[in-house]
Amino acid sequence: DAGVIQSPRHEVTEMGQEVTLRCKPISGHNSLFWYRQTMMRGLELLIYFNNNVPIDDSGMPEDRFSAKMPNASFSTLKIQPSEPRDSAVYFCASSHSLAGGFPGELFFGEGSRLTVL
Amino acid sequence: AQTVTQSQPEMSVQEAETVTLSCTYDTSENNYYLFWYKQPPSRQMILVIRQEAYKQQNATENRFSVNFQKAAKSFSLKISDSQLGDTAMYFCALSQYGNKLVFGAGTILRVKS
């Protein structure tokens, strides 16, 4: 299996521009997570989906952030308009639920490093 | 609410020695899962070890083992025979039924030769 695939690996953009990060989860996994990692705040969960349905988006910082999962094999995280404080590494992870509904082991992508100038 | 606390921002250990990373957590649930993840400089997050709360036996994976103290809500990671490749950021994480995984702030571990 190719693992969780994220694109782009690096993105440099200017303030005000739209940014779209993409994720392909591992085939067969039914949960997908978007995390943001910064030095100041560590690893923050932005949103997660179960069976393509958003379950908890309480971590999405502002209305500028939106996430979609149109099917089981693809998800996007969009920032519009982007700001310098959005600079971070954004991770996508997928998992298969364990018995009893617990989130199983998370398999992470390599992350997308976003720099907003 | 579920929280995970890692009180050691950084640690170092000599190659071949043993090191223990601390983690405490808070949850109102009786059943849950605990994880240790490793993030090397390459940035990719990798699962190190997993513990189910209803199992009393501590999980082990080769040189990695945990000391799970449910009553104290403590979940420490012991790395034996430390290797240079163990240098990484280590995250403790907690998951409850039907809920998300919550991560601690992480501990940077440096293995010195």
Side-chain angles (χ1 to χ4, degrees):
Chain A
D1 199 320
V4 176
I5 300 173
Q6 289 187 246
S7 65
R9 289 293 312 279
H10 304 274
E11 173 101 5
V12 180
T13 190
E14 292 188 347
M15 184 173 63
Q17 295 299 305
E18 178 180 293
V19 173
T20 299
L21 307 179
R22 298 174 178 80
C23 175
K24 177 179 168 52
I26 291 174
S27 177
H29 283 185
N30 59 354
S31 296
L32 184 140
F33 304 76
W34 282 101
Y35 283 89
R36 177 172 70 176
Q37 186 176 32
T38 61
M39 289 291 291
M40 291 297 294
R41 294 186 297 272
L43 203 59
E44 305 171 276
L45 177 66
L46 301 177
I47 185 171
Y48 80 99
F49 297 83
N50 201 41
N51 294 322
N52 311 339
V53 177
I55 302 300
D56 184 348
D57 64 355
S58 59
M60 296 285 263
E62 298 170 34
D63 291 345
R64 299 184 296 106
F65 285 70
S66 63
K68 294 182 180 179
M69 192 165 186
N71 56 62
S73 59
F74 184 66
S75 177
T76 58
L77 177 67
K78 187 175 292 187
I79 309 172
Q80 167 62 20
S82 58
E83 296 182 3
R85 60 195 168 118
D86 302 331
S87 297
V89 179
Y90 290 81
F91 286 100
C92 176
S94 70
S95 74
H96 189 78
S97 295
L98 300 173
F102 289 88
E105 174 188 350
L106 261 61
F107 290 81
F108 284 80
E110 294 183 311
S112 295
R113 181 178 292 280
L114 173 64
T115 302
V116 184
L117 303 174
Chain B
Q2 52 185 74
T3 60
V4 177
T5 302
Q6 292 178 249
S7 58
Q8 304 153 314
E10 294 189 32
M11 293 193 71
S12 62
V13 63
Q14 287 296 127
E15 200 174 6
E17 293 188 349
T18 295
V19 64
T20 298
L21 309 183
S22 301
C23 173
T24 57
Y25 59 93
D26 190 24
T27 176
S28 56
E29 298 293 326
N30 190 48
N31 200 13
Y32 46 88
Y33 283 76
L34 293 159
F35 304 82
W36 278 98
Y37 281 84
K38 167 185 177 181
Q39 185 179 37
S42 66
R43 205 169 75 192
Q44 181 117 39
M45 296 275 284
I46 304 163
L47 178 68
V48 174
I49 200 164
R50 180 176 79 190
Q51 174 80 41
E52 295 150 90
Y54 65 86
K55 289 189 177 179
Q56 292 186 343
Q57 186 173 6
N58 289 324
T60 62
E61 285 289 341
N62 302 313
R63 298 182 295 107
F64 299 87
S65 62
V66 298
N67 183 3
F68 174 47
Q69 301 290 328
K70 191 172 184 178
K73 294 183 178 176
S74 170
F75 183 61
S76 60
L77 174 69
K78 186 171 83 170
I79 305 174
S80 304
D81 185 25
S82 298
Q83 300 175 0
L84 295 177
D86 295 334
T87 293
M89 174 87 89
Y90 287 81
F91 292 93
C92 179
L94 162 72
S95 79
Q96 299 176 171
Y97 169 74
N99 209 331
K100 56 203 175 192
L101 229 67
V102 173
F103 286 83
T107 297
I108 297 172
L109 175 67
R110 294 188 174 85
V111 180
K112 300 178 179 179
S113 58

